[in-house]
Amino acid sequence: MKVLVINCGSSSLKFQLIDSDSEKAVAKGLCERIGIDKSRIAYTPAGGEKEIKEIEMPTHSEAIKAVIEALTNNETGVISELSEVGAVGHRVVHGGEYFNKSVVIDEDVIAKIEECNDLAPLHNPANIIGIRACMEAMPGTVNVAVFDTAFHQTMPRESYLYAIPKRYYDEYKIRRYGFHGTSHSFVSKRTSEILGKDYEDVKTIVCHLGNGASICAVENGKSVDTSMGLTPLEGVVMGTRSGDVDPEIVKTIAKKDGVTVDEALNVLNKQSGVFGVSQVSSDFRDIDAAIAQGNDDAVAAMEVFVHSVVKYVGAYAAAMNGVDCIAFTAGVGENNPGVRARVCEKLGYLGITINQEANKVMGEEREISTPDSKVKVWVVPTNEELAIARETLELL
Ligand code: ADP
């Protein structure tokens, strides 16, 4: 069977068609500028050339139609008819406290996702539009929602409650939710398999370091703490997000720059992090290049980033009273040996030693710690689309 995995943003739609037997993508692509002029679809069949077509896509409905057209196209399509798509798995960003696992979508589920719109105003409405567009284009096909927040619903109260007046949680559900749950779950499970340990019997810290970054403490198969909070702004330093700051900074920026709270938060979300400190780029490849040229602001950005990751790993090792394995994943975690080496060097007190030769690995599953390292350190590539496809199949 084939599962169509859909990840809708406000003006974009990423897709992959995954074959359940081989667990490989048979085609993938991206619709961009939905609702804007010059909208286009990029489509790549496995082993084939990427093709880009400009198609008018005023809404996500046209985008879904363009995806279906690409997948069933006589020349470059990978399926002969739409009925070969057995189910659709949707990435949904926020499931609030309603969802602690993936669910088959019906009207009640859509209503609950809608109730979480306030918690993810940029993402959840787009996710619902994508779901409705699929229901319309493929009536009778099962749609499954896989939530970024669900894996973290196992966090104990001490991890998810903010120390603010209780009524904010009671009335508005202001609490830590955490994100990247599909990735943290996928990577931590895979890590226990690699170690040959029972998932229920291992303490892992997953460092999902991409443009967005979060760290998760996984104990006995459950997320027990994670660095992102009510929104993805909290936690470690990221590409353009500040991560943890003193909340008073928002007021100070608003006052000094004469801007609104929303505009000040925009600074923390879009102009901060590694980009903000370096004034070079949010991309670590550019930071590495600037460091090589002696740019001190780029050096500072790297130091601030590494320091924040090291602090979270240390905090989670303490919170779990130990750690068996650290897994690096996502764009930077998988592909940047320099970042991994700098982080691990500062974790020597945990008994971690790195094999510098093995650490040169990029984008491949590999142990990078030495045989005598007390804590195992692995690079474990994430695959959120495959995780979504697996969850979807499980519910069929
Ligand atoms: P997102 O949060 O947008 O999914 P990614 O996981 O793609 O982000 O991570 C983006 C980061 O990963 C960039 O800073 C980039 O430097 C790094 N990265 C991605 N691919 C590579 C690669 N092949 N080589 C080196 N760095 C990479």
Side-chain angles (χ1 to χ4, degrees):
M1 180 194 288
K2 294 188 177 62
V3 178
L4 180 59
V5 175
I6 298 282
N7 182 354
C8 271
S10 52
S11 67
S12 70
L13 186 157
K14 273 192 228 159
F15 64 95
Q16 273 194 22
L17 188 67
I18 294 184
D19 180 77
S20 59
D21 294 329
S22 67
E23 295 208 317
K24 295 262 181 313
V26 289
K28 59 182 166 187
L30 168 69
C31 301
E32 285 178 298
R33 302 181 62 86
I34 301 167
I36 317 174
D37 61 329
K38 294 194 189 130
S39 42
R40 57 192 205 151
I41 177 171
Y43 168 79
T44 317
E49 294 277 305
K50 178 175 178 170
E51 58 173 52
I52 297 176
K53 260 193 210 162
E54 276 201 21
I55 298 178
E56 261 191 59
M57 295 186 250
T59 71
H60 287 70
S61 292
E62 288 80 14
I64 288 288
K65 282 182 192 135
V67 171
I68 292 172
E69 204 294 306
L71 294 173
T72 53
N73 183 280
N74 280 343
E75 281 160 34
T76 52
V78 287
I79 50 175
S80 41
E81 48 185 79
L82 199 50
S83 59
E84 287 180 46
V85 176
V88 187
H90 296 265
R91 174 193 180 212
V92 178
V93 167
H94 220 304
E97 288 188 331
Y98 287 121
F99 302 104
N100 60 8
K101 53 182 186 318
S102 305
V103 287
V104 172
I105 299 172
D106 58 17
E107 284 302 323
D108 177 54
V109 167
I110 293 179
K112 289 197 169 100
I113 297 173
E114 236 157 31
E115 279 183 47
C116 300
N117 278 0
D118 273 357
L119 296 168
L122 294 180
H123 293 99
N124 272 29
N127 298 153
I128 294 171
I129 292 171
I131 290 168
R132 290 236 182 259
C134 285
M135 287 171 139
E136 190 187 299
M138 292 174 269
T141 305
V142 172
N143 287 270
V144 168
V146 181
F147 300 92
D148 271 24
T149 50
F151 181 60
H152 303 299
Q153 280 294 301
T154 48
M155 282 194 287
R157 190 166 63 178
E158 68 208 42
S159 299
Y160 73 71
L161 279 184
Y162 290 116
I164 59 176
K166 187 171 175 291
R167 74 179 181 90
Y168 292 107
Y169 171 63
D170 292 341
E171 291 175 29
Y172 308 126
K173 294 286 171 231
I174 295 178
R175 51 161 283 176
R176 173 171 293 108
Y177 289 96
F179 298 87
H180 292 142
T182 312
S183 175
H184 287 302
S185 161
F186 180 89
V187 171
S188 57
K189 256 187 219 136
R190 179 67 199 142
T191 305
S192 66
E193 277 170 25
I194 296 167
L195 294 178
K197 294 203 176 189
D198 190 347
Y199 192 37
E200 311 289 317
D201 189 28
V202 60
K203 294 172 181 175
T204 304
I205 297 174
V206 180
C207 301
H208 177 114
L209 309 178
N211 199 16
S214 72
I215 312 229
C216 183
V218 185
E219 187 172 3
N220 305 337
K222 294 190 170 81
S223 166
V224 291
D225 208 345
T226 192
S227 57
M228 282 179 170
L230 175 74
T231 76
L233 180 55
E234 192 183 347
V236 285
V237 171
M238 310 180 211
T240 65
R241 294 188 203 125
S242 61
D244 301 330
V245 291
D246 180 342
E248 288 280 344
I249 286 181
V250 176
K251 186 178 82 187
T252 309
I253 290 177
K255 205 165 145 192
K256 297 279 182 196
D257 275 359
V259 297
T260 61
V261 165
D262 276 352
E263 286 165 330
L265 283 171
N266 203 38
V267 172
L268 297 186
N269 268 306
K270 305 232 167 98
Q271 298 166 36
S272 298
V274 167
F275 169 72
V277 178
S278 69
Q279 290 298 300
V280 170
S281 169
S282 60
D283 191 307
F284 273 80
R285 287 167 283 201
D286 302 333
I287 299 295
D288 284 337
I291 291 174
Q293 286 169 2
N295 181 326
D296 190 48
D297 291 329
V299 173
M302 179 64 85
E303 286 168 353
V304 170
F305 174 77
V306 167
H307 185 61
S308 80
V309 174
V310 167
K311 282 202 291 188
Y312 266 100
V313 172
Y316 290 166
M320 292 194 289
N321 194 19
V323 53
D324 299 310
C325 184
I326 295 172
F328 285 97
T329 196
V332 179
E334 291 168 29
N335 298 298
N336 196 309
V339 165
R340 292 191 301 253
R342 287 180 181 96
V343 169
C344 291
E345 197 180 308
K346 294 189 172 210
L347 297 172
Y349 72 96
L350 287 173
I352 289 178
T353 46
I354 290 299
N355 174 341
Q356 299 298 347
E357 196 49 41
N359 186 41
K360 288 181 181 159
V361 71
M362 287 172 78
E364 263 172 56
E365 192 173 276
R366 183 156 184 191
E367 178 172 7
I368 59 168
S369 48
T370 56
D372 60 345
S373 181
K374 289 213 181 84
V375 177
K376 298 285 153 208
V377 186
W378 277 76
V379 173
V380 181
T382 192
N383 190 339
E384 284 166 290
E385 289 77 16
L386 175 58
I388 292 172
R390 282 183 184 164
E391 296 266 322
T392 303
L393 278 165
E394 254 175 52
L395 282 169
L396 278 186

